[in-house]
Amino acid sequence: MFKKIIALLIIVTLVSCSSGKPVIATTKKAAAVQKPRVATTKKGTYSKPIGKKYPSTNNTTEVIESTSKTVVTYDLINDYVAEYKDIAMGNMKKYGIPASIILAQGILESGAGKGDLAVSANNHFGIKCHKDWLGESVRHDDDAAQECFRKYPEAAESYRDHALFLVGKNRYATLFTYEKDDYKAWAKGLRAAGYATDPKYPDKLISYIERYNLHQYDCQVTGRDYKPFEKSVSASKSTNPKTNANSNDPNLYEVQKGDTLYSISKKFNLLVDDLKQKNNLSDNTLSVGQRLIVK
């Protein structure tokens, strides 16, 4: 009897030990579940902080319309000028085209480097293929659907081809009879020679030159003294006679450097279209010193 009791106790003990094994397996499984958490932590170690590399100091915007419609900021245009001013001055020395005109055309035609043609084809001047073009090309809607535009391996080639284009075409010969730094004559001459169909093209170029002080690069080439532009006599007059009123008139606002129609409309709680209608404006181009009716 005593032996049977001992044997029974041994069997019970063995059964108890076997029933504890699932607990050990569960512990291992739980440990395995933790591995993805460790991997996630490591991945987070290599993530980059979100933020702009070059903080903007002036985020007011304006719309540039040429071969495409592009929204740009004041800072973006300044960055564009800083990047290409040396190429523009080099072309002025070599080909006799004002650096200010080159930069203003680059800003307008390429949307300060952000327009469709500039991004897809490094074409900063909206130059179409024409019969003598043997290089690569892209198709883009302009005056007609899917027109052929020149494509360049880099933007510098676009700048070089722009100079050769003006020098090599007989219709632009008159431009080279003007003074090298007479940007107003060049702006009007380009339109007269057929570079652009937009009747406002000269005014737009002159506006960029004067708002962003691009004439200083002409003066660096010619060695003449440069005086920063402050106010344009022609731009200070609106087509509406009310803008000739006293500068203290609360109904008028004088455009400051960096202003856009959008920023002014927000300041006076107006719609952009209403602001344009009040001042008989056909596009979004503004000039420093220009007076706008805002009430």
Side-chain angles (χ1 to χ4, degrees):
M1 184 66 181
F2 180 74
K3 289 181 179 180
K4 288 183 179 180
I5 293 173
I6 291 174
L8 184 60
L9 289 172
I10 291 171
I11 291 170
V12 170
T13 303
L14 290 173
V15 171
S16 299
C17 291
S18 298
S19 64
K21 288 181 181 178
V23 176
I24 296 171
T26 303
T27 304
K28 288 180 179 178
K29 186 175 182 181
V33 173
Q34 301 303 315
K35 289 182 180 179
R37 295 183 182 179
V38 175
T40 303
T41 305
K42 289 180 179 177
K43 186 176 182 181
T45 304
Y46 296 99
S47 63
K48 295 181 180 179
I50 299 173
K52 294 181 179 179
K53 188 175 180 181
Y54 301 105
S56 175
T57 56
N58 193 323
N59 286 321
T60 54
T61 62
E62 66 175 280
V63 177
I64 296 177
E65 293 190 57
S66 52
T67 51
S68 62
K69 189 173 183 178
T70 314
V71 178
V72 298
T73 64
Y74 176 82
D75 284 346
L76 181 64
I77 294 177
N78 273 329
D79 289 344
Y80 181 86
V81 171
E83 184 172 358
Y84 295 108
K85 62 182 176 62
D86 290 333
I87 295 177
M89 287 190 288
N91 283 2
M92 181 177 180
K93 292 174 184 177
K94 188 171 183 178
Y95 301 105
I97 305 165
S100 60
I101 285 290
I102 296 171
L103 290 169
Q105 281 194 282
I107 292 168
L108 178 57
E109 298 288 353
S110 77
K114 299 300 180 182
D116 293 344
L117 280 176
V119 173
S120 65
N122 285 315
N123 189 329
H124 283 236
F125 296 91
I127 299 179
K128 297 178 183 178
C129 293
H130 302 287
K131 294 179 181 179
D132 56 347
W133 179 246
L134 302 176
E136 292 187 68
S137 63
V138 294
R139 294 286 172 176
H140 182 75
D141 292 347
D142 192 40
D143 295 327
Q146 293 298 288
E147 291 191 84
C148 183
F149 285 85
R150 301 182 182 191
K151 181 178 181 180
Y152 307 95
E154 57 183 3
E157 284 298 310
S158 178
Y159 270 75
R160 178 176 176 272
D161 192 46
H162 168 258
L164 295 174
F165 184 78
L166 294 183
V167 170
K169 299 288 184 183
N170 289 332
R171 62 177 175 169
Y172 298 116
T174 304
L175 295 173
F176 295 91
T177 64
Y178 304 144
E179 290 290 330
K180 270 188 179 182
D181 58 355
D182 189 350
Y183 63 85
K184 291 184 178 179
W186 275 79
K188 294 172 183 176
L190 280 166
R191 167 72 177 84
Y195 192 98
T197 56
D198 182 1
K200 294 278 188 179
Y201 195 76
D203 294 335
K204 290 177 180 179
L205 294 183
I206 293 169
S207 174
Y208 283 121
I209 290 169
E210 295 179 345
R211 278 193 287 153
Y212 293 92
N213 290 304
L214 304 183
H215 185 50
Q216 64 179 300
Y217 304 114
D218 299 336
C219 293
Q220 287 185 37
V221 174
T222 61
R224 297 179 181 176
D225 292 334
Y226 173 69
K227 294 181 180 179
F229 177 83
E230 292 181 0
K231 291 184 180 181
S232 168
V233 175
S234 60
S236 64
K237 298 177 182 179
S238 172
T239 52
N240 193 310
K242 288 183 180 180
T243 55
N244 292 324
N246 190 291
S247 60
N248 294 323
D249 189 336
N251 296 318
L252 300 179
Y253 174 76
E254 187 171 294
V255 177
Q256 306 297 310
K257 190 174 182 180
D259 276 340
T260 64
L261 283 177
Y262 178 76
S263 65
I264 295 171
S265 68
K266 288 295 182 184
K267 187 178 293 186
F268 293 98
N269 197 26
L270 292 168
L271 294 174
V272 172
D273 288 342
D274 290 342
L275 186 59
K276 290 172 72 172
Q277 186 175 5
K278 284 177 180 289
N279 293 276
N280 297 324
L281 299 175
S282 59
D283 56 35
N284 295 336
T285 303
L286 297 176
S287 296
V288 175
Q290 183 177 354
R291 293 179 184 177
L292 299 176
I293 300 171
V294 292
K295 292 183 180 179

